[in-house]
Amino acid sequence: MNHRIFIVEDDRVIAQAVKRHIESWGCEARVVTDFRNVLKEFVAFDAHLVLMDISLPFFNGYHWCREIRKISKVPVIFISSASDNMNIVMAMDMGGDDFIAKPFDLQVLTAKVQAVLRRAYEFSGAQPLLEHRGAILNLADASLTYDGRRLELTKNDFRILQTLMEHPGEVVSRESMMLRLWETDCFVDDNTLTVSVTRLRKKLEAVGLEDFILTRKGAGYQLGG
């Protein structure tokens, strides 16, 4: 499995050295570019593991780990020169999976990253995320998160959103939607789909997602831009 490692480190020399080393043993690596939008870049990269510095511009690593934990169980390894017991304990309490003290040997980093990846993915597999307009659909637990709020979904809610978010910019026909929801396009009242979409729209609007699902008359449904 070609794992993707997301590096959240503001020291560009360290970040690039870690990136080159990770890539040398066959993984894909990306360094964060916008420290105001770490979560957005994390979702876009669909990372399997995050290397997170604690001292960062704008918000610290604890903040971003909390934000990631709201939507994902992806492993987070903290890297920091602040390696006293208090910081290590706090890192674990915030949802971190391990802690590496700076300065560190790149071989030690490799060993720790590979160990955490094995624990996380040897049996469970990846936990992909879909994102649109800041709303994040977690396929692992069938939940939607938007603006820090978690929205519990029914089975039909989840399947509607998954189908649409897997086809951004496309119109999904009512027939395709019903086939996905009920695994048949027969013996289902066409009005049932309309009712399901209407209920879901109200849930989305309640958390600030207006016009998230658009009706294309005579064609089907589409995500709103």
Side-chain angles (χ1 to χ4, degrees), residues 18-39:
V18 170
K19 181 177 185 290
R20 286 193 299 270
H21 185 70
I22 288 171
E23 290 172 339
S24 74
W25 43 273
C27 284
E28 188 178 349
R30 183 177 297 179
V31 178
V32 67
T33 59
D34 184 354
F35 287 95
R36 289 187 178 89
N37 290 297
V38 171
L39 188 66

Side-chain angles (χ1 to χ4, degrees), residues 2-225:
N2 186 22
H3 291 108
R4 293 180 295 278
I5 314 297
F6 188 47
I7 304 164
V8 186
E9 164 64 69
D10 63 331
D11 185 316
R12 306 307 292 179
V13 174
I14 293 175
Q16 290 303 320
V18 170
K19 181 177 185 290
R20 286 193 299 270
H21 185 70
I22 288 171
E23 290 172 339
S24 74
W25 43 273
C27 284
E28 188 178 349
R30 183 177 297 179
V31 178
V32 67
T33 59
D34 184 354
F35 287 95
R36 289 187 178 89
N37 290 297
V38 171
L39 188 66
K40 185 175 181 180
E41 290 192 23
F42 161 76
V43 171
F45 188 45
D46 193 18
H48 294 108
L49 182 143
V50 180
L51 290 172
M52 179 78 71
D53 192 12
I54 293 177
S55 298
L56 298 168
F58 308 110
F59 302 97
N60 64 26
Y62 298 137
H63 167 82
W64 290 118
C65 186
R66 282 195 302 271
E67 292 302 298
I68 288 171
R69 280 291 166 265
K70 290 177 182 177
I71 62 168
S72 174
K73 296 177 182 177
V74 162
V76 176
I77 298 178
F78 280 98
I79 49 177
S80 177
S81 55
S83 58
D84 56 275
N85 287 340
M86 181 62 72
N87 273 290
I88 294 173
V89 170
M90 191 167 178
M92 298 302 104
D93 286 346
M94 291 295 165
D97 295 86
D98 209 334
F99 191 102
I100 302 175
K102 295 179 184 177
F104 51 79
D105 184 287
L106 287 173
Q107 299 303 324
V108 173
L109 174 76
T110 299
K112 290 223 175 197
V113 168
Q114 289 179 337
V116 171
L117 286 171
R118 278 196 302 272
R119 289 199 302 269
Y121 298 107
E122 190 169 340
F123 301 109
S124 62
Q127 299 170 336
L129 306 171
L130 297 173
E131 186 272 341
H132 182 71
R133 275 176 47 187
I136 299 165
L137 186 69
N138 189 326
L139 304 188
D141 63 7
S143 68
L144 187 78
T145 306
Y146 177 69
D147 197 24
R149 298 175 65 182
R150 179 185 171 96
L151 185 63
E152 297 298 331
L153 304 172
T154 66
K155 183 170 69 174
N156 279 356
D157 291 341
F158 172 70
R159 287 180 176 173
I160 290 168
L161 287 171
Q162 182 182 7
T163 303
L164 292 171
M165 292 174 78
E166 285 176 345
H167 300 87
E170 300 177 25
V171 176
V172 179
S173 71
R174 293 179 64 87
E175 292 76 16
S176 296
M177 190 78 79
M178 286 191 287
L179 192 61
R180 185 70 177 267
L181 263 62
W182 295 287
E183 297 173 346
T184 175
D185 56 359
C186 304
F187 312 115
V188 176
D189 183 352
D190 190 61
N191 189 54
T192 305
L193 177 61
T194 303
V195 171
S196 295
V197 171
T198 300
R199 286 175 178 167
L200 177 55
R201 277 195 182 119
K202 289 179 180 177
K203 287 185 182 180
L204 296 171
E205 288 169 1
V207 296
L209 287 168
E210 303 278 343
D211 298 322
F212 194 78
I213 300 174
L214 303 178
T215 300
R216 297 304 184 198
K217 196 167 182 180
Y221 298 100
Q222 183 179 23
L223 290 177

